[in-house]
Amino acid sequence: MADYDYDVLVIGSGPGGYVAAIRAAQLGLKTACVEGRETLGGTCLNVGCIPSKALLHASEYFDAAANGAMAAMGIKVTPELDLGAMQAQRLDAVKGLTGGIEFLFKKNKVEWIKGYAQFKDAHTVEVAGKTVTAKNIVIATGSSVTPLPGVEIDNAGGVIVDSTGALELSSVPRKMVVIGGGVIGLELGSVWRRLGAEVIVVEFLDQLLPGMDGDVRKEAAKIFKKQGMTLKLGTKVTSVTPSGNGANVTVEPAKGGEAEVIEADVVLVSIGRRANTDGLGLDAIGLELNQRGQIETDHDFGTKVDGVWAIGDVIPGPMLAHKAEDEGIAVAENIAGLTGIVNHDIIPGVVYTSPEFAGVGLTEEQARERGAIKVGKFPMLANSRAKTNHEPDGFVKVIADAETDRVLGVWCIATVAGTMIAQAAQAMEFGATSEDIAYTCHAHPTHSEAIKEAAMAVRGKAIHV
Ligand code: FAD
Ligand code: NAD
């Protein structure tokens, strides 16, 4: 039998890769993780989930002080923005968490090999001129921004930027055009709107947030408009050209019509992300990509090539950190000969704006296509805690099978929807019916009671409406 340097070599240290490496080491496998960045943690910790949440959290405080929300509770303040300090706390958050992964690697005896890995054969990669062999290699190389044809991103220039550039702006734009009304556009658009920018979101489709429940998407448009964003739905961008200190964005109706030029000082391109496979040397191992440029795997996260596995954003499915993490645990367990499973039907998704938008399972549209359903809805306006906190926007929707009452999907718009959705995911994982949720005692007064009431409404029996 061949003698390998490692039992497991993970390529990429994002939430998929670092979790896979730690779990593999915990299971007694000799493990290393290759990472090309200066710090561990991948997109999520360095330029994704964490820094965006650091700015969302801070800008929410600023907005509450500036927009009268604090005054409504008897706190009179006139906020003054210190963007340098706000950015410094973002960098602190990133430093603390990426350093934390380095600590966890040392604690669990995962070796960090610095550099970019390229396959030579199914058990051998080259990193920074060195050859490394492993019995199992896990590809966890993640994703990067999908470019808009003809538009050149220049994050350092600070005018035409992607999400990384939009996190790092050193002044608040006067006018920001966001191309793409998906998760990144709405989260980062919210940050800069709260800090004083005029934000115009250009979305190709007729509604924001593709993939979410139809009612949620409609409500999202109302809420973001109310907050002062301009939404240009059903609109496509035909060109972005630098002009003076800013850029001119030409847009026209997606179905054809008159063009319009919008002047902006910052343009955020956020039209999706694509799998990172360039330079990996997949040809050397005969691993082909699917039509979307992703690596296909079986249920165990094994690829078509023996000993090569793949997880996270580089494989199909929602590009979410928690999905990558769960796949990281599962792949390590499968490599160790255990049974690692991820239930891809129950992966919650959250947009961390204010309010938050969250969902798990099927949308109402998807559920109706599959058969007869019952739907219960409950407005946050009727939830005592939300009402007391001056947080009237949103609702909870529970979708259940008409015959079995089994919960098929739950959707929430609420200030803490991201936290609320965990109970829905767990209930669905346990195969709950709407009746199970309706008869579960929920603490009062909490936003989560809205989930119980929506579940009661599935059978026409909510109390507070
Ligand atoms: P990644 O995190 O992309 O990590 C892959 C790593 O592999 C990178 O560090 C890369 O340098 C490295 N790499 C690539 N090729 C090689 C190579 N050949 N050799 C060595 N190393 C290599 N998701 C959420 O769930 N919640 C959020 O709030 C959220 N917010 C986000 C905000 C933004 C602005 C962005 C851009 C994304 C956000 N995401 C969020 C998505 C989330 O970041 C990704 O789904 C997640 O990071 C995917 O994890 P991963 O491990 O598959 O890959
Ligand atoms: P997205 O897929 O969420 O949204 C992209 C939007 O751009 C879509 O609405 C699409 O219709 C639109 N679009 C595409 N081409 C366009 C064009 N030419 N003109 C106008 N609109 C166009 O992608 P994203 O916002 O870039 O985010 C990428 C990924 O990162 C997502 O898959 C998401 O899961 C992940 N992410 C997650 C979170 C979170 O979980 N909170 C936060 C940020 C990013």
Side-chain angles (χ1 to χ4, degrees), residues 11-17 34-37 41-44 47-49 52-53 115-118 140-143 163 167 184 187-188 273 276 279-280 311-314 319-322 324 352:
I11 306 177
S13 70
V34 193
E35 174 54 62
R37 275 180 194 277
T43 303
C44 176
V47 291
C49 328
S52 59
K53 267 78 255 178
Y116 284 93
Q118 188 172 42
T141 49
S143 64
S163 53
L167 287 166
I184 291 181
E187 288 190 352
L188 295 182
R273 295 179 61 83
N276 284 336
L280 250 185
I311 54 168
D313 279 9
V314 80
M319 289 182 165
L320 295 172
H322 40 283
Y352 296 90

Side-chain angles (χ1 to χ4, degrees), residues 72-321:
M73 292 183 281
I75 308 162
K76 287 190 183 170
V77 279
T78 307
E80 186 187 336
L81 179 64
D82 180 347
L83 186 58
M86 196 181 276
Q87 291 290 29
Q89 62 90 39
R90 166 181 64 85
L91 292 170
D92 261 7
V94 170
K95 193 171 169 203
L97 290 178
T98 55
I101 306 300
E102 211 172 323
F103 164 79
L104 289 175
F105 270 15
K106 282 189 189 132
K107 185 177 164 200
N108 288 284
K109 300 193 171 46
V110 174
E111 197 179 322
W112 173 9
I113 303 175
K114 296 185 184 181
Y116 284 93
Q118 188 172 42
F119 278 98
K120 294 296 154 197
D121 65 44
H123 298 283
T124 311
V125 298
E126 205 172 276
V127 187
K130 289 201 187 106
T131 299
V132 184
T133 61
K135 188 169 182 201
N136 297 280
I137 300 184
V138 180
I139 303 172
T141 49
S143 64
S144 38
V145 177
T146 305
L148 186 59
V151 177
E152 202 172 319
I153 306 271
D154 173 15
N155 285 332
V159 175
I160 305 176
V161 296
D162 61 20
S163 53
T164 301
L167 287 166
E168 289 167 356
L169 298 178
S170 55
S171 60
V172 179
R174 189 183 47 84
K175 197 165 173 185
M176 181 179 207
V177 170
V178 172
I179 308 179
V183 197
I184 291 181
L186 294 171
E187 288 190 352
L188 295 182
S190 289
V191 165
W192 295 108
R193 183 206 51 77
R194 291 168 184 174
L195 299 181
E198 177 188 352
V199 173
I200 300 166
V201 178
V202 183
E203 166 57 50
F204 185 79
L205 301 173
D206 289 341
Q207 282 298 348
L208 303 169
L209 295 173
M212 290 208 142
D213 180 87
D215 273 347
V216 171
R217 296 176 71 188
K218 270 187 227 146
E219 194 64 19
K222 281 190 211 153
I223 288 172
F224 288 113
K225 265 191 218 160
K226 195 166 79 179
Q227 293 180 353
M229 276 190 192
T230 301
L231 305 182
K232 289 191 169 292
L233 303 178
T235 303
K236 68 180 175 196
V237 171
T238 52
S239 74
V240 181
T241 45
S243 158
N245 291 331
N248 287 337
V249 183
T250 308
V251 301
E252 65 181 47
K255 290 174 187 147
E258 216 164 292
E260 177 194 352
V261 177
I262 310 169
E263 286 173 23
D265 29 10
V266 173
V267 180
L268 164 60
V269 179
S270 49
I271 59 164
R273 295 179 61 83
R274 61 180 187 185
N276 284 336
T277 55
D278 284 356
L280 250 185
L282 296 180
D283 288 352
I285 57 171
L287 190 55
E288 283 179 8
L289 303 175
N290 69 14
Q291 280 188 330
R292 303 193 58 206
Q294 301 158 321
I295 297 173
E296 293 280 349
T297 67
D298 60 21
H299 202 60
D300 296 333
F301 307 103
T303 69
K304 288 218 168 75
V305 179
D306 247 13
V308 178
W309 313 71
I311 54 168
D313 279 9
V314 80
I315 71 169
M319 289 182 165
L320 295 172

Side-chain angles (χ1 to χ4, degrees), residues 385-453:
R385 185 64 181 276
K387 202 168 159 61
T388 306
N389 287 4
H390 309 267
E391 298 162 345
D393 286 336
F395 58 79
V396 174
K397 182 198 257 195
V398 172
I399 303 159
D401 185 284
E403 203 176 316
T404 64
D405 191 35
R406 195 170 168 149
V407 178
L408 303 173
V410 177
W411 295 88
C412 308
I413 306 176
T415 47
V416 289
T419 306
M420 289 161 70
I421 205 67
Q423 72 146 304
Q426 187 155 50
M428 287 171 66
E429 195 64 61
F430 290 176
T433 59
S434 77
E435 187 179 44
D436 290 328
I437 298 179
Y439 284 107
T440 299
C441 188
H442 286 62
H444 175 77
T446 57
H447 297 79
S448 293
E449 287 172 285
I451 295 192
K452 176 189 171 97
E453 294 245 32

Side-chain angles (χ1 to χ4, degrees), residues 27-68:
L27 292 169
L29 301 168
K30 190 179 177 205
T31 306
C33 180
V34 193
E35 174 54 62
R37 275 180 194 277
E38 293 292 303
T39 47
L40 299 172
T43 303
C44 176
L45 274 67
N46 288 284
V47 291
C49 328
I50 297 304
S52 59
K53 267 78 255 178
L55 289 186
L56 277 158
H57 187 64
S59 62
E60 197 175 336
Y61 276 93
F62 182 83
D63 195 33
N67 74 9

